[in-house]
Amino acid sequence: MESKPSEISSSKMFGGYNKRYKHFSPTLGCSMTFHIYFPPSPSPSRKFPVIYWLSGLTCTDENFITKSGAQRAASSEGIALIAPDTSPRGLNVEGEADSWDFGVGAGFYLNATQEKWKNWRMYDYVVKELPNLLSEHFPQLDTSRASLSGHSMGGHGALTIYLKNLDKYKSVSAFAPIVNPINCPWGQKAFTNYLGDNKVAWEEYDATCLIGKFHDVSATILIDQGEDDKFLHDQLLSHKFAEACKTVGVPLLLRFQPGYDHSYYFISTFIDDHIRHHAQALHLP
């Protein structure tokens, strides 16, 4: 099966192009899609730093590209946006689509250890396979200058991947992230099924737990959280992560935004701040 990415759509936006690709993923054992927004290039030799955007529950690689409006700031800052899908698709594992918060669309950016879900290896896909694929096939991208951002489950992914790979990423930000999944229903459901009953294994994918282990963070972590987000108090638990960062002295800018909810209306309102946050880190020599 073809592992080389093939272009399946292209649309011009703010002088650059949204391009969607399909490829076979050996890591996940199925075909996957991803989007790249290429900003306008002043010269053929220009190489763009990248921001990986990790989406939330039920999302695909399309939500961020079509709803966020991030391309305007990415175009002006000269940064490429990479939006992968959120889980393997098409494997037809029994029960994979039975609930919206688990299985298809809910990969949680981890490497599953339970046999039934052995193909759910979104951590390795995002951290290893996708960057290697981009480096090999897209010479205009400089994947050595990379940052992470994400929303909800994707915010969880961005934070945990960043903390465990501080040598690979320049900065991280998140919108309404699930920061303490071992203590919320979404996380407990996903971790029990993907990782089994070993709670120590769960902590390896919990940003609030990880901040104590990987606290050598110099770049400020930016998080925006809507005050009217219905998931804030039961699922997202922002205060837990804030307390953990304060304990170990990690620089965190946690902004509670009055009146905003969990939607892309919220994301599109503040996405320019996040692109500029990453641009500052990515354009440093």
Side-chain angles (χ1 to χ4, degrees):
M1 302 181 76
E2 184 61 64
S3 58
K4 180 180 179 181
S6 59
E7 184 180 316
I8 54 178
S9 69
S10 178
S11 56
K12 191 170 185 179
M13 190 176 188
F14 298 117
Y17 286 89
N18 298 310
K19 292 183 179 288
R20 195 183 195 202
Y21 297 90
K22 184 176 184 178
H23 75 110
F24 178 79
S25 164
T27 301
L28 305 175
C30 62
S31 291
M32 293 292 286
T33 53
F34 62 90
H35 265 91
I36 304 177
Y37 174 71
F38 295 97
S41 180
S43 77
S45 61
R46 174 76 178 270
K47 290 176 74 73
F48 299 109
V50 303
I51 297 173
Y52 294 95
W53 173 269
L54 306 183
S55 290
L57 290 164
T58 75
C59 290
T60 69
D61 58 300
E62 295 184 282
N63 298 73
F64 177 73
I65 293 296
T66 58
K67 294 180 178 180
S68 71
Q71 295 91 333
R72 184 192 299 272
S75 174
S76 64
E77 295 288 352
I79 294 172
L81 305 174
I82 315 295
D85 204 346
T86 50
S87 67
R89 296 179 193 269
L91 292 166
N92 299 316
V93 175
E94 182 186 1
E96 67 177 17
D98 286 357
S99 50
W100 65 272
D101 57 355
F102 177 75
V104 173
F108 268 85
Y109 305 99
L110 50 71
N111 289 336
T113 57
Q114 300 304 290
E115 179 64 22
K116 181 177 179 179
W117 305 101
K118 63 184 179 181
N119 291 87
W120 265 249
R121 301 183 61 82
M122 288 301 295
Y123 179 90
D124 277 356
Y125 179 75
V126 170
V127 175
K128 299 175 182 177
E129 182 179 341
L130 187 56
N132 289 339
L133 189 80
L134 297 175
S135 296
E136 182 177 355
H137 297 289
F138 300 97
Q140 64 271 56
L141 302 179
D142 181 2
T143 55
S144 69
R145 288 186 294 153
S147 290
L148 287 158
S149 190
H151 170 228
S152 194
M153 176 186 73
H156 141 79
L159 290 168
T160 54
I161 288 172
Y162 174 75
L163 291 171
K164 294 169 80 167
N165 299 275
L166 291 171
D167 58 327
K168 285 181 167 53
Y169 305 101
K170 305 295 185 185
S171 54
V172 68
S173 72
F175 289 85
I178 305 170
V179 294
N180 193 202
I182 67 172
N183 287 316
C184 79
W186 282 340
Q188 290 165 351
K189 178 178 181 177
F191 288 3
T192 299
N193 284 280
Y194 291 140
L195 303 172
D197 296 327
N198 181 1
K199 301 290 181 69
V200 176
W202 294 17
E203 293 179 0
E204 290 302 306
Y205 297 104
D206 185 299
T208 299
C209 297
L210 290 174
I211 202 74
K213 293 174 64 176
F214 304 104
H215 55 261
D216 189 21
V217 178
S218 55
T220 298
I221 297 172
L222 172 62
I223 294 177
D224 273 311
Q225 173 63 59
E227 287 188 354
D228 284 10
D229 188 327
K230 65 182 180 180
F231 303 117
L232 173 58
H233 300 294
D234 295 332
Q235 301 280 14
L236 306 178
L237 310 177
S238 321
H239 63 287
K240 295 284 190 182
F241 186 68
E243 290 166 4
C245 287
K246 184 176 181 180
T247 298
V248 295
V250 167
L252 170 67
L253 177 56
L254 172 58
R255 308 191 303 187
F256 286 97
Q257 304 292 0
Y260 286 93
D261 58 15
H262 200 70
S263 72
Y264 265 87
Y265 299 117
F266 162 55
I267 294 170
S268 62
T269 301
F270 300 102
I271 191 64
D272 286 7
D273 289 352
H274 287 243
I275 300 297
R276 287 191 288 265
H277 168 78
H278 295 300
Q280 187 175 17
L282 289 166
H283 290 315
L284 290 173

